[in-house]
Amino acid sequence: GRAGRDGREAYCHVFLNDEDFLKMQSHIHAEELDLKIVHRFISFVLLGGSAGTRKLGDLVSIEEEEDEKYDLSKQNMEAILCFLEQDGFIELLNPCAGRVTITFTTN
């Protein structure tokens, strides 16, 4: 509810057993990010990886398998990309999850 926002005292009661505590602790540690992995992912996005061949205005595609390649969850990758966009380093385009087949015919 109000959680003390009205200036009055508020209380929170947590009922937690040892099993729940260990489970929650494992979830917290499972989401830790390795700074080296984050750096590799950002280098890929901004520079084109270790080769450093990316130029201003290049279009970068993040493939479905990239999360496995960088050992980052899709949510973490999206958060990193949002921070990069917020700070003006990149511009995110709307994701497109479809395939299109174009057939040309001659008259």
Side-chain angles (χ1 to χ4, degrees), residues 1 4 13 23-25 29 31 40 42 51 55-56 65 67 76-77 84 86 88 90 93 95-99 101-102:
H13 299 278
K23 182 178 179 182
M24 297 307 289
Q25 188 178 34
H29 291 292
E31 286 298 316
R40 274 188 34 227
I42 292 173
K55 298 181 296 297
L56 187 63
E65 300 80 27
D67 59 333
N76 285 335
M77 291 172 67
L84 290 173
Q86 178 181 332
I90 63 172
L93 303 177
C96 178
R99 293 186 184 263
T101 302
I102 300 176

Side-chain angles (χ1 to χ4, degrees), residues 4-104:
R5 288 181 297 222
D6 58 4
R8 296 190 348 217
E9 198 168 319
Y11 299 92
C12 174
H13 299 278
V14 177
F15 300 97
L16 186 69
N17 62 30
D18 291 340
E19 184 180 318
D20 290 340
F21 176 77
L22 292 174
K23 182 178 179 182
M24 297 307 289
Q25 188 178 34
S26 71
H27 285 302
I28 291 168
H29 291 292
E31 286 298 316
E32 288 182 4
L33 295 176
D34 182 351
L35 189 56
K36 289 179 185 178
I37 292 173
V38 173
H39 183 264
R40 274 188 34 227
F41 178 66
I42 292 173
S43 292
F44 165 73
V45 171
L46 296 180
L47 305 173
S50 59
T53 57
R54 193 147 350 268
K55 298 181 296 297
L56 187 63
D58 282 355
L59 185 63
V60 179
S61 174
I62 308 294
E63 302 295 329
E64 280 292 319
E65 300 80 27
E66 296 293 333
D67 59 333
E68 294 172 10
K69 180 178 176 183
Y70 292 100
D71 194 25
L72 290 170
S73 70
K74 286 180 176 48
Q75 293 83 3
N76 285 335
M77 291 172 67
E78 289 173 1
I80 292 168
L81 292 172
C82 286
F83 282 123
L84 290 173
E85 181 179 45
Q86 178 181 332
D87 289 342
F89 291 105
I90 63 172
E91 178 184 352
L92 294 175
L93 303 177
N94 290 330
C96 178
R99 293 186 184 263
V100 177
T101 302
I102 300 176
T103 306
F104 294 97

